[in-house]
Amino acid sequence: MAARGRRLPADAGMNTAEYAVGTLAAVAFAGVLMKVLMSDPVQGALTGIITKALN
């Protein structure tokens, strides 16, 4: 009977399935970013920027 008057707390966080989906999305994004950064045109551009900044 005492439990009737209590309110359940609002869902303030992620549950396990949401953590799994969020982690999977972050790993997929990191993989895509890694592929982009390792491509020849991007590496050439970054090398040029760094070389120009150091000169």
Side-chain angles (χ1 to χ4, degrees), residues 3-42:
R4 268 190 196 169
R6 288 190 214 156
R7 294 182 66 199
L8 294 175
D11 187 16
M14 293 194 303
N15 63 29
T16 305
E18 290 169 334
Y19 276 119
V21 171
T23 302
L24 184 61
V27 169
F29 180 73
V32 170
L33 187 60
M34 187 78 157
K35 274 290 207 194
V36 169
L37 290 176
M38 297 304 261
S39 68
D40 288 336
V42 173

